[in-house]
Each structure stands twice: as structure tokens, then as C-alpha cells.
């Protein structure tokens, strides 16, 4: 039996001298306690040394992926093919299957073989002759570094630390620029306050101030390269009637120096933004297509690295940057935030307030996939990001159109956009409601009602002569006419009763008014009678 053993320095092929020892798996380590004992069981047949670290890395990666490299194929053809009857002990079963397919060599993988490989590794220096220990350790260290770099897909173009630093510097430059421009406008505003209202663009303002200097120089200065013709004419007109104070040349010199700083910083900012855009397209092209350069860079900076960001789930990516709001909401038991840094993405920005939460959730889900593809994938194209963005835009259009649905009917049916026609109603003014004085008195109304009732003649219900009908129809018609006559008589009786009641109410009021008068006269008569009786008694 032959044994294939891979080392950092090259491939070693051993021949097993005593195969009976391999059957005792539990006690096999005792046979490899010393190099002398190990040499009694195994004998080195061939050792193929690697030329450099790149060849070692290629061989190691091929073995980890279960492939047969060029150097291994050469060794197997040279040594093993000669002894076709011998079995080849392999540490990886997948690699053994590939070797058997390509070279038609029977391979063995078992627990005994795995234990044998471990024992060979413990006595490797004694078994492989002609390889100094120092060289072996150096080769192992170099291969370990190269292999780790390869596994992490390490390359100078994929350094996300540059993105973290660039976006942090960009934010700092924005803050400093705002402070400098505000100070410049305030400072020069004492001398020429009207210029700040005429020129709204900050960079154009600083360039104009640096070109003009003292406001008395505006009439003779040419600002056509900095400002449009209309604004230039306004500046010259404003300089003639300016209300600013006079300043010295030293003050103007310091203001000009500040304007130089603002212009330099703004130019460097544009350069830095271009650098960040190119770097983001190189490192995370799919994420850049999904959310944009600045938002993608801020997400990477917030997570620490692209690999750390790839470990976050979509729900975390959605609220990344809103941690304070999240913990405050959890503490107060209120609604958690719907978005963090992802809010500034163009897809979320162009939606209505109603759909921002939905779109941010969907965008975070697709962005999480794009981040993982960029961090761990081998391709550097942005096809996946473009496809997902197209899907999100289609979904966004669907959500926006869903708001124009009819309330009644089926939920899926779209609303018909009918032409709107404004129907205005012209109402005339009614002047009858202006006066609060009644036009006729109540008494007159009662009299008019009585006269109308007297004038109305009570006509008896006479049957008109008609053609002969069936007896049943005649009976029905008679019943209808009789009921109609009864209703009219009832209405008249009710009206008479109402009139009587009103008359009684009026009479009762008159009696109440007359009663106190009669009572007072009777009392006077009684008093007079009493006085007369008393006088008669006294006499």
C-alpha cells in the first residue's frame, strides 16, 4: 500500500512495510513514538518539492477544493502508475474519487488511514530526509499566510478601510465648509451686505469676493467667468447703493485668504467624492447600484467593514444608524423606527410617506443580498444589483398606483380615470328672510281661514254614469268613495274642534282678567255694609 501525504514543502509518497500494524487503530500511535519505530512501518518512496510559495498555494487550494493539481498529477503518473496493483491511501475521500476517475488508481480512505496521517505528521522530520526543520517551518508559515489571504479573497482593490476613512473625511469636510462659508458671509457682510442676497451659491460667492475685494472695485471688475450676466448687473447696481461700512485693506486681505481656503476645500471635496465613487464601484458594486455611493459607504463605515456588514441580517441593515431611536422605542414600548441610514437612498426618497416603510424594508432585504454577494463572491460585476433595483422600481410603481383604487367593487380592479366636470349651482338671494316683522296679524289669518272654509261648498259624492261593470269592481269603487268622504268629514270636524278650543282659551283668559276686578268691588260693598251696621249699633 502507498500513502500520499501533503506537506507545505511538497508531496511525499510512502510505502507501508507492515500493513498488519494498520489494523490496530487504537494502538497505532505507539508504533510512531520514535523516528526509528516509524521507519520500520513506513518508507519514503518519493518526495516532490514545490518550487515557490505560489506553486504551494495552488496545490493547497486545489486539494481543499477536491481537485487534482498539475504537480500532483505528474507525481501520480510517475510513481503510482508503475505500481497499479498497489492501493493509494488518501486523507480526503473526495480527492480519492477524482484520482480514481482521472488516473484509474484505486484509493482508500478509512479511520485507520486518518490515524496513520496523524502519526506521520507527528514524526514528519524523521520520515522525510533532506529537509531541514527551519526550512519546513518557514514554508508552513508562508503557505498559511497565503492560504488565509486566498480564503478571505484578499486583494489591494478590496480594502474597505479606505472607504471608511474616505466617507468620514467627506463628512468632516462638509462640516468645515459650512462653518467657513458662514463665517465668510458674516465677515464680508459688514462691508457689502447686499452681495449675500444676490449670490446664493456659496462657491460662487467666495470666488466673487476674492475677485472683487473692496466693493468700490465692482464697477471696473469683470465677473462674467464667475456669474451670469443678469446677476453681474445686479451686483454692480447693489455696489453703488450699498449700506455697508468701510473696512481696511488688511481686513479684505484676511477675508480673501478665507475665501481661498473655502475654494481649495471644496475642490478637494469633489476630488474625494470621485475617489470614493470609484472605490465603492470596485469593492461593492451591487450595493452601490442599490443604495448609492454615499449611503453604501456610510453603511460600511457604521458596521466597521464590508465583511461585518455582510454578517448583519436585512432587519439590522434597515435600521442601521437609528440605534438610539430603536432602544428608546423599546424602552418606552412605542413603535420602533422603520429606517436608519437607508432613508437617504434614492428609492426611499422618491416614495410617498405612506410607502416609505415598505420600500425601506424591501430595499434592506435586497441590499443585504447585494452586500453578501460583494463581500464573499468572486465576481466583480453589478448585474445582480441592477436586476434587484429594477424589481424594486417595478414594485414601487405598483404601490404608488395602488393608492388610486376605487373604494367599492373588487379590490384588484383599478379605478377608472374619468374626466372631471365641475357642476356649479347658481343660487338666487331670497330677500323675504331679511324682515323679522310678520306681514299679517294672527287674527287676520284666522278670519281668512274661516272665510275659506265657509266658501268651500260641501259637494256630495255623486257617482258618474259609466258603462256597466262587473259587480265586484262596483263594490270596490263604492268602498273607496265612502272612505274618501269619511276622511274629509273627519278633517272638517277636527278643524272645528281646534277653533272651539282656541275660542275657549281666549274666553278663559278674559274671565281671569275680569275676575280680580269683580272681587275687589264685592269686597268694597261688604266693608261699607259693616261700617253702616257698626254706626247703627253705636247710636
Amino acid at each position: 500500500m502507498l500513502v500520499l501525504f501533503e506537506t507545505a514543502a511538497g508531496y511525499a509518497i510512502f510505502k507501508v512495510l507492515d500493513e498488519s500494524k494498520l489494523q490496530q487503530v487504537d494502538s497505532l500511535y505507539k508504533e510512531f513514538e520514535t523516528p526509528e519505530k516509524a521507519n520500520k512501518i513506513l518508507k519514503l518512496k518519493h518526495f516532490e518539492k514545490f518550487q515557490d510559495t505560489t506553486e504551494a498555494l495552488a496545490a493547497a487550494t486545489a486539494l481543499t477544493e477536491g481537485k487534482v493539481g498539475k504537480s500532483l498529477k505528474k507525481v501520480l503518473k510517475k510513481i503510482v502508475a508503475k505500481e497499479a496493483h498497489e492501493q493509494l491511501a488518501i486523507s480526503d475521500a473526495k480527492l480519492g474519487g477524482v484520482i480514481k476517475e482521472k488516473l484509474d488508481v484505486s484509493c482508500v480512505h478509512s479511520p485507520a488511514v486518518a490515524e496513520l496521517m496523524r502519526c506521520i505528521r507527528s514524526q514528519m522530520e524523521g520520515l522525510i530526509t533532506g529537509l531541514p526543520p527551519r526550512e519546513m517551518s518557514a514554508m508552513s508559515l508562508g503557505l498559511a499566510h497565503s492560504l488565509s489571504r486566498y480564503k478571505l479573497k484578499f486583494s489591494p482593490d478590496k480594502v474597505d478601510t479606505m472607504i471608511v476613512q474616505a466617507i468620514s473625511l467627506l463628512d468632516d469636510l462638509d462640516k468645515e465648509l459650512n462653518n467657513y462659508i458662514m463665517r465668510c458671509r458674516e465677515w464680508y457682510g459688514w462691508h457689502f451686505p447686499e452681495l449675500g442676497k444676490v449670490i446664493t451659491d456659496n462657491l460662487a460667492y467666495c470666488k466673487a469676493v476674492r475677485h472683487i475685494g473692496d466693493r468700490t472695485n465692482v464697477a471696473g471688475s469683470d465677473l462674467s467667468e464667475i456669474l451670469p450676466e443678469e446677476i453681474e448687473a445686479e451686483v454692480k447696481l447693489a455696489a453703488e447703493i450699498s449700506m455697508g461700512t468701510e473696512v481696511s485693506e488688511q481686513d479684505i486681505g484676511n477675508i480673501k485668504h478665507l475665501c481661498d481656503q473655502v475654494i481649495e476645500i471644496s475642490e478637494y471635496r469633489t476630488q474625494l467624492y470621485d475617489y470614493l465613487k470609484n472605490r465603492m464601484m470596485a469593492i461593492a458594486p451591487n450595493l452601490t447600484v442599490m443604495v448609492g455611493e454615499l449611503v453604501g459607504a456610510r453603511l460600511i463605515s457604521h458596521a466597521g467593514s464590508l465583511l461585518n456588514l455582510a454578517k448583519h441580517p436585512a432587519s439590522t441593515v434597515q435600521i442601521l444608524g437609528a440605534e438610539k431611536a430603536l432602544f428608546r422605542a423599546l424602552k418606552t414600548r412605542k413603535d420602533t423606527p422603520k429606517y436608519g441610514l437607508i432613508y437617504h437612498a434614492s428609492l426611499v426618497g422618491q416614495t410617498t410617506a405612506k410607502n416609505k416603510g415598505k420600500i425601506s424594508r424591501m430595499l434592506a432585504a435586497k441590499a443585504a443580498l447585494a452586500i453578501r454577494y460583494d463581500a464573499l463572491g468572486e465576481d466583480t460585476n453589478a448585474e445582480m444589483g441592477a436586476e434587484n433595483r429594477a424589481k424594486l422600481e417595478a414594485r414601487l410603481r405598483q404601490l404608488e398606483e395602488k393608492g388610486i383604487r376605487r373604494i367599492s367593487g373588487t379590490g384588484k380592479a383599478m379605478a377608472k380615470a374619468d374626466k372631471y366636470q365641475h357642476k356649479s349651482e347658481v343660487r338666487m338671494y331670497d330677500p323675504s328672510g331679511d324682515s323679522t316683522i310678520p306681514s299679517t296679524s294672527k287674527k287676520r289669518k284666522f278670519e281668512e281661514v274661516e272665510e275659506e272654509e265657509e266658501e268651500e261648498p260641501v259637494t256630495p259624492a255623486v257617482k258618474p254614469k259609466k258603462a256597466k261593470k262587473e259587480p265586484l269592481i262596483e263594490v270596490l269603487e263604492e268602498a273607496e268613495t265612502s272612505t274618501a268622504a269619511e276622511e274629509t268629514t273627519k278633517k272638517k270636524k277636527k278643524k272645528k274642534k281646534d277653533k272651539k278650543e282656541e275660542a275657549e282659551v281666549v274666553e278663559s283668559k278674559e274671565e281671569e282678567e275680569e275676575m280680580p276686578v269683580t272681587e275687589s268691588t264685592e269686597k268694597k260693598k261688604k266693608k261699607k255694609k259693616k261700617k253702616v251696621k257698626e254706626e247703627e249699633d253705636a247710636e
Side-chain angles (χ1 to χ4, degrees):
M1 182 187 281
L2 298 175
V3 180
L4 176 65
F5 185 75
E6 307 93 12
T7 66
Y11 293 113
I13 294 175
F14 297 97
K15 186 172 176 104
V16 180
L17 300 174
D18 190 1
E19 291 187 15
S20 61
K21 300 278 184 177
L22 296 178
Q23 295 174 0
Q24 302 170 0
V25 180
D26 296 334
S27 61
L28 186 62
Y29 70 95
K30 293 177 182 177
E31 302 297 330
F32 285 86
E33 288 178 347
T34 59
E36 290 79 12
K37 284 184 177 182
N39 283 316
K40 287 177 182 178
I41 297 170
L42 291 175
K43 182 186 176 183
L44 183 65
K45 188 162 182 137
H46 181 75
F47 183 74
E48 186 74 23
K49 192 177 180 182
F50 296 130
Q51 297 295 324
D52 51 6
T53 315
T54 53
E55 189 182 347
L57 177 63
T61 49
L63 285 171
T64 51
E65 291 170 3
K67 296 176 183 177
V68 180
K70 289 181 180 179
S71 55
L72 180 59
K73 195 183 284 185
K74 194 188 291 181
V75 171
L76 291 173
K77 280 181 179 178
K78 189 189 291 183
I79 307 300
V80 181
K82 291 178 182 177
E83 300 178 10
H85 61 281
E86 293 282 353
Q87 287 184 332
L88 184 66
I90 300 287
S91 59
D92 188 9
K94 189 180 177 183
L95 180 66
V98 176
I99 291 170
K100 192 171 185 180
E101 281 181 12
K102 290 192 174 182
L103 300 169
D104 197 17
V105 176
S106 62
C107 299
V108 180
H109 176 73
S110 62
V113 173
E115 183 66 20
L116 179 63
M117 294 290 180
R118 194 180 69 80
C119 294
I120 291 169
R121 200 172 291 112
S122 64
Q123 294 294 336
M124 190 166 55
E125 292 174 7
L127 290 168
I128 302 171
T129 55
L131 194 66
R134 194 180 231 178
E135 192 177 337
M136 192 69 186
S137 62
M139 287 288 286
S140 301
L141 187 64
L143 181 61
H145 281 298
S146 303
L147 199 60
S148 62
R149 282 197 188 96
Y150 175 79
K151 281 186 176 178
L152 293 170
K153 303 290 186 292
F154 179 83
S155 66
D157 295 332
K158 283 208 168 190
V159 185
D160 49 8
T161 315
M162 303 299 169
I163 287 175
V164 175
Q165 298 297 332
I167 192 65
S168 302
L169 180 59
L170 199 71
D171 291 339
D172 292 341
L173 285 176
D174 286 337
K175 287 178 185 175
E176 292 302 320
L177 268 174
N178 287 333
N179 289 333
Y180 279 21
I181 288 161
M182 185 182 70
R183 184 66 54 220
C184 182
R185 280 181 177 272
E186 274 188 36
W187 200 350
Y188 194 69
W190 287 100
H191 178 59
F192 190 6
E194 292 81 8
L195 186 67
K197 294 177 182 177
V198 176
I199 304 172
T200 53
D201 184 49
N202 293 324
L203 188 61
Y205 180 86
C206 292
K207 285 180 179 178
V209 169
R210 189 179 65 172
H211 191 77
I212 293 165
D214 200 327
R215 71 163 183 263
T216 54
N217 302 329
V218 173
S221 58
D222 182 24
L223 301 172
S224 58
E225 294 180 0
I226 303 165
L227 304 171
E229 291 180 6
E230 302 84 12
I231 297 174
E232 185 182 357
E234 286 183 32
V235 169
K236 287 181 178 179
L237 186 65
E240 293 175 3
I241 54 168
S242 178
M243 298 292 290
T245 58
E246 296 295 329
V247 292
S248 64
E249 290 183 4
Q250 191 176 3
D251 298 330
I252 295 291
N254 281 313
I255 294 168
K256 280 185 176 181
H257 187 65
L258 178 61
C259 291
D260 290 335
Q261 293 291 318
V262 171
I263 292 162
E264 284 177 15
I265 291 171
S266 57
E267 285 173 357
Y268 174 61
R269 189 199 173 281
T270 54
Q271 180 191 342
L272 185 68
Y273 178 71
D274 292 336
Y275 162 78
L276 181 65
K277 195 189 293 183
N278 295 332
R279 182 62 72 183
M280 277 297 292
M281 283 305 293
I283 293 173
N286 294 288
L287 178 64
T288 307
V289 169
M290 290 296 296
V291 297
E293 299 90 10
L294 292 175
V295 178
R298 286 197 174 94
L299 286 170
I300 293 169
S301 173
H302 201 81
S305 69
L306 186 64
L307 204 63
N308 287 349
L309 187 62
K311 292 174 186 175
H312 291 316
S315 56
T316 308
V317 173
Q318 184 181 349
I319 58 165
L320 209 64
E323 287 85 4
K324 276 189 180 179
L326 174 68
F327 293 127
R328 194 190 313 123
L330 292 173
K331 195 175 180 181
T332 55
R333 293 184 181 179
K334 291 183 180 178
D335 293 337
T336 53
K338 292 179 182 176
Y339 26 66
L341 290 167
I342 211 166
Y343 178 80
H344 301 287
S346 58
L347 276 171
V348 180
Q350 68 191 24
T351 57
T352 55
K354 183 183 175 183
N355 296 324
K356 279 189 191 295
K358 285 183 182 178
I359 286 294
S360 63
R361 187 181 69 246
M362 290 187 284
L363 180 62
K366 297 295 183 187
L369 291 175
I371 291 159
R372 288 165 194 168
Y373 190 82
D374 290 330
L376 308 168
E378 294 180 4
D379 298 335
T380 55
N381 54 10
E383 290 177 5
M384 178 198 166
E387 286 176 13
N388 288 334
R389 188 178 175 86
K391 286 178 186 175
L392 282 176
E393 285 172 353
R395 178 68 178 142
L396 173 61
R397 283 195 297 273
Q398 190 182 352
L399 283 173
E400 293 293 330
E401 289 170 4
K402 199 180 279 187
I404 323 170
R405 288 185 182 276
R406 64 164 76 116
I407 297 166
S408 62
T410 57
K412 292 182 181 177
M414 299 300 291
K416 290 181 182 178
D418 295 331
K419 190 177 179 182
Y420 176 74
Q421 291 180 350
H422 180 66
K423 295 176 183 178
S424 60
E425 294 180 4
V426 181
R427 295 183 179 181
M428 301 298 291
Y429 180 70
D430 185 15
S432 63
D434 290 348
S435 176
T436 56
I437 301 165
S439 57
T440 55
S441 62
K442 288 181 181 179
K443 287 183 179 179
R444 192 172 174 186
K445 281 183 181 177
F446 284 129
E447 290 170 2
E448 286 174 1
V449 171
E450 287 173 359
E451 286 173 3
E452 285 173 4
E453 285 177 358
E454 288 171 1
E455 286 173 4
E456 283 180 359
V458 179
T459 56
V462 181
K463 293 180 185 178
K465 291 182 180 180
K466 288 185 181 179
K468 288 182 179 180
K469 295 180 182 179
E470 292 179 10
L472 202 150
I473 294 168
E474 288 176 358
V475 170
L476 287 170
E477 284 180 352
E478 286 174 3
E480 286 175 1
T481 52
S482 63
T483 52
E486 285 174 4
E487 285 176 1
T488 51
T489 52
K490 282 179 183 179
K491 284 180 182 177
K492 287 177 182 179
K493 285 177 182 179
K494 279 184 181 180
K495 283 182 181 178
K496 286 179 180 179
K497 280 181 183 179
D498 293 337
K499 285 175 191 174
K500 284 180 182 180
E501 286 174 1
E502 287 175 0
E504 286 173 1
V505 170
V506 171
E507 287 174 359
S508 63
K509 283 182 179 178
E510 289 175 355
E511 285 174 0
E512 285 174 2
E513 289 174 359
E514 290 173 1
M515 281 293 288
V517 177
T518 53
E519 285 176 2
S520 59
T521 53
E522 285 175 0
K523 285 179 182 178
K524 285 179 182 179
K525 285 178 182 179
K526 286 179 182 179
K527 284 181 182 179
K528 282 181 181 181
K529 285 179 181 180
K530 282 182 182 179
K531 283 181 181 179
V532 171
K533 283 181 181 179
E534 285 174 0
E535 286 174 357
E536 286 175 355
D537 293 331
E539 288 175 355

